[in-house]
Amino acid sequence: MVDLSPDRLPVAVIGAGPVGLAAAAHLAERNVPFVVVEAGDAAASAVQAWSHIQLFSPWEFNTDPAARRLLAAAGWDEPDASGLPTGGELVKQYLQPLAELPALAAHIRYGTAVTAISRLGIDRLRTADRESAPFAVRLADGEELLARAVIDASGTWRQPNHVGANGLPAHGEQDAAAWINHGLPDVFGADRDQHAGRHTVVVGAGHSAANTLLALAELADTVPDTTITWAIRGADPAGSFGGGSDDELPARGAIGSGLKMLVESGRVTLAANFRTHAVRVLGSDPARDQVELVSRGPDGTEQTLTADRIVAATGFRPDYRIADELRLELDPIMSAPRALAPLIDPNQHSCGTVTPHGYRELAHPEPGYFAVGMKSYGRAPTFLMLTGYEQVRSIAAALAGDMEAARSVELQLPETGVCSVTAGGEALALRLGLTKDQHEQLLHVTAKHLGTSATASDAVLSAATELGIDHTAALQLAAYAADMFDAPGASGC
């Protein structure tokens, strides 16, 4: 006979990514029984999919305090706090060692997909005895796990947004799926042949789009006939350029400032006011034939782009179908918990201005169910891992009965000056194959050319030519000295 006492049942954590593993670490520290179910065959399988991408936040903002304590006790060699890891380094140096700790490893089940969550013997309609009934977490093989609470850290990676401008798939988008990459293609690795010497259209205006555009520009420096078009729905790309050197995370600021310079210099062609209505394949072979994107404006005006490849950097959305039998209260716009939505609205907040929040803001009318991490943010793109770590710290404290700790605010998001501009620039220079001296020389010579150059981009390119530095690398590195670039039109804001 199964003991259904709440203190005997585990907390079910869905997903063994950064936030799911952090939840497990906090539960382990508090001696709260738990089980982690992960659909992939290893920890952080979604992060592995973008292992080639360098994060714009340094190590100090990518690790969870409870996880660090558990790892330190096992003799973990903590990375340099100011370094900028790639996704692969995040997994190898932090997430994989964390998942392998005895305190966690024995409680993680890989290759275990969740198909539905409900209450034992109770559907969504019934109220009587609801809070005392355990959760029934149904798995793909038919097994049902009983749990006292559910922390859903399953993320949004497997639910990308469509290319279509109105949130629906563009006409013909499904037929053109073989021509479309979602997220962050590995331009220098597995996906290189799809883009080298070909025309790629990047759709989207966020950091994923900027990362891909910068990578494609680097590829174009070495492979002739590699061309790039950036399609955005708005008329002005300024929002994608961000705050430049004023950004709280310099690497994030560099992405935007570097992209601005690529557009100014003509290395990336901008297609503004492009609202994808249809996608038409122009053949049957994605390796040889092209595809056409058709934009249709509100007045019926059409534009077309012909491409060899499409990168849909249009973000992701949560999938709550597994919780259909639970009583959730989601904001109708953000698809985030109603109390959280106004705190993360991207129209008003960036990553660093989100108000700290925990179990109260993440709660639903279904007691004991919490969506955390990227999934909790719905369609907002403002998520930082550090925010997710604070979410699960608060929830674990509440589940352990430590309400004072659950209600307290322990999150300190990056503020201006937190991350070293110099260290960020040097880290980016190293990734681009340049030395610290070359970085410093570039800034010095660029300043010399500003007085005779029409734009900041021209000054940077002149300096790069003089020093024999790759132009695309120079444009990215220049973002770290944006406050020096006071030539007309050079503002990164």
Side-chain angles (χ1 to χ4, degrees), residues 4-142:
L4 301 181
S5 304
D7 60 343
R8 297 286 185 179
L9 292 175
V11 174
V13 179
I14 304 175
V19 178
L21 291 176
H26 282 278
L27 293 169
E29 272 202 330
R30 290 182 172 275
N31 294 312
V32 176
F34 67 92
V35 58
V36 180
V37 287
E38 163 59 41
D41 58 6
S45 58
V47 180
Q48 293 279 20
W50 48 269
S51 62
H52 56 289
I53 294 297
Q54 185 178 50
L55 280 71
F56 52 67
S57 52
W59 272 110
E60 65 177 308
F61 299 125
N62 297 324
T63 57
D64 171 76
R68 287 199 302 270
R69 290 190 291 268
L70 292 176
L71 285 163
W76 178 55
D77 186 13
E78 185 170 356
D80 178 14
S82 65
L84 297 172
T86 63
E89 290 166 344
L90 184 71
V91 174
K92 184 177 181 179
Q93 298 180 45
Y94 169 60
L95 296 173
Q96 186 175 328
L98 177 60
E100 292 174 352
L101 290 175
L104 272 64
H107 306 282
I108 302 176
R109 295 178 57 174
Y110 295 109
T112 306
V114 173
T115 59
I117 311 168
S118 187
R119 294 279 189 175
L120 182 63
I122 295 178
D123 62 14
R124 190 166 68 182
L125 184 64
R126 179 174 167 179
T127 298
D129 302 321
R130 188 171 193 86
E131 290 192 31
S132 61
F135 286 94
V137 181
R138 180 169 294 180
L139 309 179
D141 63 3

Side-chain angles (χ1 to χ4, degrees), residues 212-249:
T212 298
L213 288 162
L214 291 167
L216 288 168
E218 288 185 50
L219 181 65
D221 282 341
T222 58
V223 182
D225 299 323
T226 300
T227 56
I228 312 144
T229 299
W230 179 24
I232 61 173
R233 286 182 288 183
D236 185 356
S240 299
F241 299 147
S245 63
D246 293 328
D247 197 295
E248 293 90 345
L249 294 172

Side-chain angles (χ1 to χ4, degrees), residues 197-430:
R198 310 182 80 200
H199 178 212
T200 299
V201 173
V202 178
V203 181
H207 287 110
S208 293
N211 258 312
T212 298
L213 288 162
L214 291 167
L216 288 168
E218 288 185 50
L219 181 65
D221 282 341
T222 58
V223 182
D225 299 323
T226 300
T227 56
I228 312 144
T229 299
W230 179 24
I232 61 173
R233 286 182 288 183
D236 185 356
S240 299
F241 299 147
S245 63
D246 293 328
D247 197 295
E248 293 90 345
L249 294 172
R252 186 174 61 199
I255 289 174
S257 298
L259 178 56
K260 181 177 188 293
M261 293 180 179
L262 287 175
V263 172
E264 284 182 349
S265 65
R267 301 168 76 80
V268 169
T269 300
L270 179 65
N273 293 313
F274 198 93
R275 300 173 176 89
T276 307
H277 174 73
V279 182
R280 301 168 181 159
V281 297
L282 304 179
S284 58
D285 184 358
R288 181 187 62 216
D289 298 321
Q290 292 186 307
V291 63
E292 185 178 67
L293 293 88
V294 181
S295 165
R296 180 177 295 174
D299 61 355
T301 303
E302 291 192 351
Q303 304 178 59
T304 61
L305 290 171
T306 302
D308 297 296
R309 199 76 196 165
I310 299 170
V311 175
T314 48
F316 299 83
R317 62 181 69 185
D319 184 354
Y320 279 104
R321 286 176 294 181
I322 62 172
D324 191 51
E325 281 302 315
L326 302 182
R327 296 177 175 180
L328 305 188
E329 187 175 18
L330 298 171
D331 180 80
I333 299 173
M334 303 294 297
S335 295
R338 189 178 289 274
L340 177 61
L343 307 180
I344 61 174
D345 185 344
N347 295 299
Q348 302 183 31
H349 296 285
S350 68
C351 303
T353 65
V354 170
T355 302
H357 56 275
Y359 82 100
R360 288 174 296 184
E361 293 82 5
L362 295 164
H364 288 278
E366 191 71 65
Y369 172 84
F370 302 94
V372 299
M374 282 292 295
K375 189 166 187 174
S376 73
Y377 269 46
R379 297 200 187 190
T382 50
F383 179 75
L384 284 177
M385 278 186 283
L386 201 65
T387 310
Y389 297 154
E390 172 62 9
Q391 290 178 342
V392 296
R393 182 209 62 79
S394 173
I395 292 168
L399 293 174
D402 186 352
M403 303 314 295
E404 181 179 356
R407 289 189 291 266
S408 70
V409 175
E410 299 183 8
L411 176 65
Q412 295 186 10
L413 290 171
E415 298 175 356
T416 302
V418 167
C419 308
S420 166
V421 172
T422 301
E426 291 172 6
L428 185 58
L430 182 63

